[in-house]
Amino acid sequence: MPFPDISLREKDAVLKEHLESSPVNSGATFPVVRPRRLRRSPVLRAMVRETELTAADFIYPMFVRPGKDGAREIPSMPGIYQWTITALSEEVESIANLGIPAVILFGIPEHKDPVGVENFSVDGIVQQAIRAIKKIVPELVVITDVCMCEYTDHGHCGLLNLGDPLPDPSLPEGYVLNDPTLEVLGKVAVSHAQAGADIVAPSGMIDGMVGSIRKSLDQNKFENIAILSYAVKYASAFYGPFRDAAESPPKFGDRKSHQMDPANVREALREAELDVSEGADMLMVKPALPYLDVIHRVHSQFPQIPLGAYNVSGEYAMLKAASERGWLDERKTVLEALTGIKRAGADLILTYHAKEAARWLAEESGKSRR
Ligand code: PBG
C-alpha cells in the first residue's frame, strides 16, 4: 500500500537528511532475528496468535428479584440489571444466541432472615428463575451461587456465633460458624439441583463446603450435578458494586475470617488442593485481574481441572466508568483484559462483559473472513 500521508513522508525525508549529515556515528548493528516479521500483517498476526478468546469461554452472571415490573439497572454497574422472572425469560434467549454457554444466578429474596430460608425453598427466587430458564432454553447451562449472604438479614455468608450464651464461646461474637453453615449449604445445593440447576457453585469459603455439598447432592440422587468451587476467593474490595446489586453487604464486620488474604498465593494452592480432594469438578479464582499470578499458579498445579476466573463487579465498573468518561476505549480494553485472564490460564471467565464481548468477537470474526 502506498504511504498515504505525504506530509509524513516529507518529514521522514527531512529526518533522513539530518541523520546522514550528522557528525555522530551511531554504530548501530542490525538484528538477524526479527520478531516483527510475524507482526507485519493482520493475517500473519492471527496465524501466530496464542490465545483465542471466544464466547464459549464466558459465563454470564445474572441477578434475579421478585416482582412484576421489568429490569432494574444497577447504578454502579451500567448495563447490568436485576431481572424479574418475566424479564429474565426474554433475556436468556439472546444470551444463548450470542453463543454464551452458561449463566450464573444470584437471587435477591423477598425476605431476609438469620438463616436465609428462601435460599432453599421450592419457590425461592433462584429456584423460580432456574425453572423459567430451563423452560425457554433447556440447553443453556445454569449455575447457581451457593452462599447465604444474599439471603441473611445480617448479610453474612453463614450462621453466626450470636446469642447468650454464644453457641461457641471460644470464638468471637459474630464469627461465621463453620460446621453449622455446612448443613444449610447442603440444603441450598440440593434445592437448586431439584429446581434444575446443572452446576452449583459454593462461594462462602467455608471449610469442607465442597465435600459436604457433594455428599448432600449424592444422597439426594444428584450425583450428576457438578460442583464449581469458588476455591480461591479473596477478601476483596472489588466486590463493592456486586454487594449493591445483590443487596448483600454485611451489616457489621467483614469477610476476612473466611475469604483469603490478598497477599497470599501458597495458601491458594492449598485451598485448591483441598477442594479437588473433596470432589470439586471445576475450580475458580476470584477476583481475576489483580490475581492473574494466582490463576496461573492454580492452572499449572491442577492442569487436569477446568479453571474459572471471576472478572468481578469492581473490575467491570472500572472499565465502564473510564469508558463513559472517554478515558479508555471500552471495546479494546475489555477484550484485552479478558484475553489476559484466559492467557493466565483460565478456561472459563465469569464476566459481566460477556454479552458485549460476545458481540464484538462475532463482529471481528465476520471481519476477518472478509
Ligand atoms: C457471595 C458472592 C459475592 C460475589 C459473588 N458471590 C460477594 C461477596 O463475597 O461478598 C462477588 C461477585 C462480584 O463482585 O462480581 N455470594
Side-chain angles (χ1 to χ4, degrees):
M1 207 171 76
F3 202 64
D5 186 337
I6 199 72
S7 69
L8 245 181
R9 193 196 280 172
E10 278 164 6
K11 268 187 221 149
D12 268 3
V14 172
L15 195 64
K16 193 160 175 266
E17 200 186 302
H18 185 77
L19 282 173
E20 280 164 3
S21 64
S22 162
V24 179
N25 179 356
S26 75
T29 60
F30 301 100
V32 173
V33 180
R34 294 175 186 266
R36 289 185 59 194
R37 285 177 192 133
L38 299 182
R39 295 183 203 133
R40 202 159 45 86
S41 74
V43 181
L44 277 168
R45 290 194 289 272
M47 280 174 72
V48 298
R49 187 159 299 135
E50 297 171 38
T51 308
E52 205 76 58
L53 192 66
T54 77
D57 303 327
F58 301 150
I59 297 172
Y60 189 52
M62 299 187 83
F63 302 95
V64 266
R65 68 176 171 85
K68 295 255 175 292
D69 49 332
R72 200 183 285 162
E73 194 168 22
I74 298 147
S76 51
M77 302 177 74
I80 301 298
Y81 299 83
Q82 291 178 339
W83 302 94
T84 55
I85 299 292
T86 325
L88 175 86
S89 310
E90 289 163 14
E91 178 69 4
V92 286
E93 234 169 342
S94 77
I95 292 165
N97 287 339
L98 284 166
I100 298 167
V103 294
I104 180 163
L105 300 178
F106 299 94
I108 298 124
E110 188 94 64
H111 302 290
K112 304 197 186 216
D113 59 68
V115 192
V117 171
E118 197 182 316
N119 210 356
F120 48 90
S121 71
V122 182
D123 275 318
I125 187 67
V126 158
Q127 289 81 350
Q128 290 181 50
I130 301 166
R131 289 194 294 267
I133 295 172
K134 285 291 175 187
K135 211 183 276 169
I136 295 163
V137 239
E139 69 279 9
L140 188 70
V141 171
V142 177
I143 308 173
T144 59
D145 186 79
V146 175
C147 188
M148 289 172 63
C149 64
E150 292 121 64
Y151 294 84
T152 49
D153 49 10
H154 44 67
H156 280 287
C157 304
L159 298 175
L160 298 182
N161 197 31
L162 287 181
D164 193 14
L166 291 176
D168 188 338
S170 72
L171 292 168
E173 188 175 14
Y175 185 87
V176 175
L177 294 168
N178 201 86
D179 299 8
T181 299
L182 291 177
E183 303 252 353
V184 182
L185 294 182
K187 279 184 197 287
V188 174
V190 169
S191 169
H192 291 177
Q194 276 165 346
D198 300 288
I199 301 176
V200 293
S203 67
M205 294 295 283
I206 305 299
D207 290 339
M209 65 182 184
V210 171
S212 178
I213 287 173
R214 183 72 271 157
K215 197 162 161 222
S216 303
L217 288 172
D218 292 355
Q219 276 175 354
N220 286 276
K221 301 232 175 330
F222 290 115
E223 58 279 330
N224 294 316
I225 301 304
I227 299 177
L228 162 60
S229 178
Y230 286 70
V232 182
K233 178 173 177 181
Y234 288 91
S236 171
F238 286 95
Y239 307 149
F242 173 96
R243 292 179 188 171
D244 294 343
E247 298 171 13
S248 66
K251 294 271 164 351
F252 55 86
D254 53 38
R255 307 214 200 286
K256 290 181 184 165
S257 79
H258 44 110
Q259 298 181 348
M260 273 181 56
D261 183 338
N264 293 0
V265 66
R266 282 177 282 141
E267 187 187 359
L269 300 178
R270 185 158 192 248
E271 284 283 2
E273 188 174 19
L274 277 168
D275 285 6
V276 171
S277 74
E278 288 174 28
D281 301 282
M282 305 157 108
L283 298 174
M284 190 202 299
V285 171
K286 178 183 172 189
L289 292 174
Y291 298 89
L292 294 177
D293 60 322
V294 182
I295 295 172
H296 179 69
R297 294 280 293 272
V298 173
H299 170 74
S300 308
Q301 194 94 355
F302 303 96
Q304 69 278 36
I305 310 280
L307 180 62
Y310 202 139
N311 177 224
V312 301
S313 56
E315 300 173 51
Y316 175 84
M318 285 196 296
L319 293 189
K320 274 282 168 191
S323 313
E324 276 183 1
R325 290 186 169 207
W327 290 355
L328 285 177
D329 178 321
E330 183 178 8
R331 176 174 173 151
K332 290 182 180 153
T333 49
V334 166
L335 293 178
E336 183 177 335
L338 297 177
T339 301
I341 295 169
K342 188 165 182 192
R343 190 195 61 239
D347 302 294
L348 296 162
I349 307 171
L350 296 90
T351 179
Y352 303 98
H353 298 293
K355 282 179 60 188
E356 279 167 317
R359 246 180 243 124
W360 294 328
L361 290 170
E363 276 174 31
E364 279 179 20
S365 74
K367 241 187 267 161
S368 69
R369 270 199 298 275
R370 256 177 269 137

